[in-house]
Amino acid sequence: EWDGTSSAGWTLGLGSDTATDGQWDRGVVEGNNRGDPSFDGSGSGSGQAFLTDIDPSNTNSDVDGGFTTLLSPVFDGTATEGTILSYQRWYDDQAGAAPGLDQMDVSISNNGGSTWQTLETVTQSTSSWVTVEFPIESEITPTAQMRLRFVVGDYDEGSVVEAGVDNLRVFGIACDDSIPGDLNNDGLVNGADVGIFLALWGSSDPTADLNGDLTVNGGDLGVLIANWSI
């Protein structure tokens, strides 16, 4: 998980970027009423995030004259089965000479950034942090060399474009599909399990202690019977 409190592993800007101002930065959120958030993705007014230019003394902190790039650290998309990627993004393009005509492009790579695949193109200004979440395998083949790229630009006639990224998370959800009482793990609760259960009667073996009272007894037998397979 990366929550904006450190830029370790992140790349803020590339040599190929064309923006003349408003490049990606990291620091305490300083809303200036021109499209900047006044709090981070967790709702803290003193929290930190990745934002396009952080300068509380300058109301002209938006992206100007081109695009700027933010790259995430490399992360493992295979660490768990069904790895889920989640991040929060901010995008605002409601003021200036040509509001609503610019965009933020979010891409994903499974080879460390050698090639990229588009995840989403953001054009809607929501004036809020939006949480995006999806299983990696639904978008691209997971590898141990995953990376995200956020490119935001001012491509038209000088609109006020502000963007942010916070709380990037990579995680998995483990599902326990075992049946209480299936002591031999064959997917059924039947006589074979009763034999194992009786052999452990009176012990504290966790295999047969189905109700967690630290003793294999009648209470556990009730759990086994309740899950008996027909």
Side-chain angles (χ1 to χ4, degrees):
E1 180 174 2
W2 297 271
D3 61 1
T5 59
S6 171
S7 58
W10 290 79
T11 301
L12 284 71
L14 298 176
S16 56
D17 289 352
T18 59
T20 57
D21 192 20
Q23 291 84 357
W24 283 102
D25 200 353
R26 184 193 64 83
V28 176
V29 176
E30 297 279 359
N32 62 15
N33 298 318
R34 274 174 48 95
D36 275 332
S38 56
F39 47 86
D40 69 358
S42 300
S44 172
S46 59
Q48 300 185 59
F50 294 96
L51 298 168
T52 49
D53 203 351
I54 302 176
D55 186 356
S57 65
N58 182 7
T59 58
N60 187 34
S61 64
D62 63 301
V63 181
D64 289 321
F67 64 87
T68 179
T69 304
L70 173 68
L71 297 179
S72 79
V74 172
F75 59 88
D76 189 355
T78 65
T80 63
E81 184 177 353
T83 302
I84 297 171
L85 173 66
S86 174
Y87 57 87
Q88 291 179 294
R89 57 166 165 78
W90 177 282
Y91 181 77
D92 192 281
D93 177 21
Q94 301 183 76
L101 298 180
D102 292 302
Q103 65 193 50
M104 176 166 67
D105 296 299
V106 186
S107 305
I108 191 169
S109 172
N110 62 3
N111 53 22
S114 296
T115 58
W116 296 93
Q117 178 174 309
T118 299
L119 277 181
E120 57 172 345
T121 298
V122 184
T123 58
Q124 182 179 11
S125 299
T126 60
S127 298
S128 64
W129 287 97
V130 175
T131 300
V132 178
E133 184 174 292
F134 56 85
I136 292 176
E137 63 185 13
S138 69
E139 303 293 335
I140 196 171
T141 301
T143 71
Q145 294 293 310
M146 312 300 300
R147 206 169 191 187
L148 278 184
R149 180 178 69 182
F150 302 87
V151 179
V152 59
D154 179 24
Y155 302 106
D156 288 284
E157 299 177 6
S159 56
V160 178
V161 180
E162 300 280 10
V165 174
D166 202 4
N167 294 323
L168 172 61
R169 299 172 60 231
V170 182
F171 62 96
I173 299 175
C175 299
D176 183 3
D177 57 0
S178 62
I179 304 173
D182 179 19
L183 305 186
N184 63 356
N185 297 313
D186 66 354
L188 299 171
V189 180
N190 52 28
D193 301 297
V194 173
I196 298 172
F197 181 83
L198 293 176
L200 297 171
W201 187 272
S203 73
S204 60
D205 192 299
T207 303
D209 178 22
L210 304 179
N211 64 0
D213 66 356
L214 304 181
T215 303
V216 179
N217 53 28
D220 304 299
L221 179 60
V223 175
L224 186 149
I225 294 173
N227 291 285
W228 192 267
S229 300
I230 300 175

